[in-house]
Amino acid sequence: MGDETRQRVKFTDERVCKSHLLDCCPHDILAGTRMDLGECTKIHDLALRADYEIASKERDLFFELDAMDHLESFIAECDRRTELAKKRLAETQEEISAEVAAKAEKVHELNEDIGKLLAKAEQLGAEGNVDESQKILMEVEKVRAKKKEAEEEYRNSMPASSFQQQKLRVCEVCSAYLGLHDNDRRLADHFGGKLHLGFIQIREKLDQLRKTVAEKQEKRNQDRLRRREEREREERTGQRSGSRNRDRRRSRSRERRRRRSRSISREKRKSRSKSRERERHRRHRSRSGSHSRGHRRGSRDRTSKHKKEVWTIRK
């Protein structure tokens, strides 16, 4: 059933741990340490991580935001526990003056430097880089000499009985307790241990995620702004185009009206011309008819006069 479930689940599913996909889930990093968180409540599957890595090359899934929220919540809780541990130490340990506290802090800082250097030397040696490892060990000897001087100053600033008491300090990275008189082996085990290095990895990953999320959000904002400007530009272009179209339609409408008006004017002129032609023809016919009637009357008069003359002669 587990295999069938994994086959149905995609890496985009809400049940899948986005921190696991980005290889930064504290449940994985701190597994096997004294702060082992147990099994994560969300799905962890290397096959899903591989699917995500392939898909993320083609498109931005923005899972960094989910992972960042997860790590921020986890680190905030760890920092809260660190502050509580500091408060408990302040309540239980013998109160010392500010001057003595500063000298004790100097010893703690040198202890931390020694522990980090020893852990780095051991790592280089394990990787086969012996020369670099030897150089680191030489630096350790220099820091040890400084620590010896700082311890001497601290010892001379307080009674011997108080100096022998173990002064504890809370590690700012992993919340573990460190002793003022811890030996080099204990310091190396702490600063080179899986717990401390795991917390360093988580904190560095969180810083990286914050930077990535900020860059992607800025890019998204710029893309959103660019798209809005493009839409506004298209709208302005569309408005200008619409205005030009309206002007063209108005121009065509005016042109049609002018053509229609000219056509009507031509028709009127033709009609008036025809009317005048008919009137001229009518008047011409009228004059022709009058002349014909007058000619016939004259003929009749002349004929009658001639008849009268003939009749008179005969008479």
Side-chain angles (χ1 to χ4, degrees):
M1 291 300 294
D3 292 338
E4 294 178 1
T5 301
R6 282 195 294 271
Q7 290 176 1
R8 290 195 299 269
V9 173
K10 304 298 182 183
F11 68 86
T12 54
D13 197 294
E14 290 294 329
R15 294 171 292 175
V16 176
C17 178
K18 303 305 185 289
S19 299
H20 169 72
L21 297 180
L22 290 163
D23 194 20
C24 61
C25 181
H27 292 265
D28 291 336
I29 296 173
L30 300 179
T33 69
R34 67 176 181 81
M35 288 189 63
D36 192 321
L37 302 173
E39 187 175 353
C40 183
T41 57
K42 294 193 173 184
I43 298 174
H44 284 209
D45 192 326
L46 294 177
L48 294 177
R49 182 189 293 175
D51 293 340
Y52 162 73
E53 290 173 352
I54 294 173
S56 63
K57 295 177 181 178
E58 300 176 356
R59 65 184 189 277
D60 187 6
L61 299 166
F62 212 56
F63 285 173
E64 291 85 356
L65 181 60
D66 296 318
M68 184 187 74
D69 291 341
H70 182 196
L71 295 191
E72 281 184 337
S73 176
F74 174 75
I75 291 298
E77 177 61 23
C78 292
D79 291 343
R80 186 186 67 82
R81 289 199 302 267
T82 299
E83 292 303 318
L84 289 175
K86 289 180 179 180
K87 186 177 179 180
R88 285 196 297 268
L89 283 179
E91 293 173 351
T92 57
Q93 294 191 130
E94 181 181 349
E95 186 176 355
I96 57 178
S97 66
E99 181 183 358
V100 176
K103 293 178 179 180
E105 182 68 21
K106 180 68 176 297
V107 176
H108 278 299
E109 291 176 355
L110 292 171
N111 278 339
E112 184 173 339
D113 292 341
I114 291 172
K116 290 179 179 179
L117 290 172
L118 287 173
K120 186 176 181 180
E122 290 181 359
Q123 181 182 357
L124 291 171
E127 295 172 355
N129 197 340
V130 179
D131 293 338
E132 289 297 324
S133 178
Q134 290 297 323
K135 291 180 181 179
I136 297 296
L137 290 176
M138 291 174 64
E139 292 183 24
V140 170
E141 291 301 323
K142 295 178 182 179
V143 179
R144 280 175 177 163
K146 293 180 181 180
K147 176 188 174 184
K148 186 175 180 180
E149 294 177 0
E151 285 179 332
E152 188 67 25
E153 290 182 7
Y154 174 63
R155 181 185 295 108
N156 295 333
S157 65
M158 60 192 310
S161 58
S162 298
F163 177 77
Q164 295 300 325
Q165 294 178 2
Q166 177 70 297
K167 297 296 182 182
L168 297 177
R169 180 190 183 193
V170 180
C171 179
E172 298 288 346
V173 175
C174 63
S175 304
Y177 288 106
L178 297 173
L180 186 67
H181 305 302
D182 285 344
N183 58 37
D184 292 350
R185 184 69 265 163
R186 166 77 175 88
L187 295 172
D189 289 343
H190 170 77
F191 290 105
K194 187 176 180 180
L195 177 64
H196 187 83
L197 295 178
F199 267 95
I200 290 177
Q201 180 182 345
I202 293 171
R203 291 179 183 276
E204 289 178 349
K205 185 66 175 181
L206 177 57
D207 291 339
Q208 178 185 344
L209 288 173
R210 285 170 175 164
K211 182 178 179 181
T212 301
V213 168
E215 291 174 351
K216 290 189 175 184
Q217 286 178 337
E218 178 65 21
K219 184 177 182 297
R220 283 191 170 189
N221 291 336
Q222 291 177 354
D223 291 343
R224 193 179 298 113
L225 179 61
R226 187 180 65 255
R227 288 194 296 270
R228 185 168 67 246
E229 291 175 349
E230 289 175 354
R231 285 196 301 270
E232 292 175 353
R233 189 161 53 249
E234 290 174 357
E235 289 174 359
R236 289 194 296 269
T237 303
Q239 290 174 355
R240 288 195 295 269
S241 177
S243 178
R244 287 195 295 270
N245 291 335
R246 286 193 298 271
D247 292 341
R248 283 195 291 269
R249 287 196 296 270
R250 290 171 182 168
S251 178
R252 287 196 294 268
S253 179
R254 287 194 296 269
E255 183 63 25
R256 284 195 297 270
R257 287 196 297 270
R258 284 196 293 266
R259 286 198 298 269
R260 193 181 302 116
S261 178
R262 287 195 294 268
S263 177
I264 292 172
S265 298
R266 284 194 298 270
E267 291 296 329
K268 288 182 178 179
R269 287 195 297 272
K270 287 181 181 179
S271 178
R272 286 195 297 269
S273 177
K274 288 180 180 178
S275 296
R276 288 194 294 269
E277 183 66 26
R278 285 195 298 270
E279 181 64 22
R280 284 195 299 271
H281 184 66
R282 186 183 63 78
R283 286 197 299 269
H284 178 70
R285 288 179 60 187
S286 177
R287 287 195 297 271
S288 298
S290 298
H291 179 72
S292 178
R293 285 192 300 272
H295 180 70
R296 285 195 298 273
R297 279 197 305 272
S299 296
R300 285 195 300 271
D301 292 341
R302 285 192 297 274
T303 301
S304 176
K305 183 179 180 181
H306 179 71
K307 287 180 178 182
K308 286 180 179 182
E309 290 175 354
V310 171
W311 183 75
T312 301
I313 293 170
R314 287 177 181 179
K315 191 177 176 178

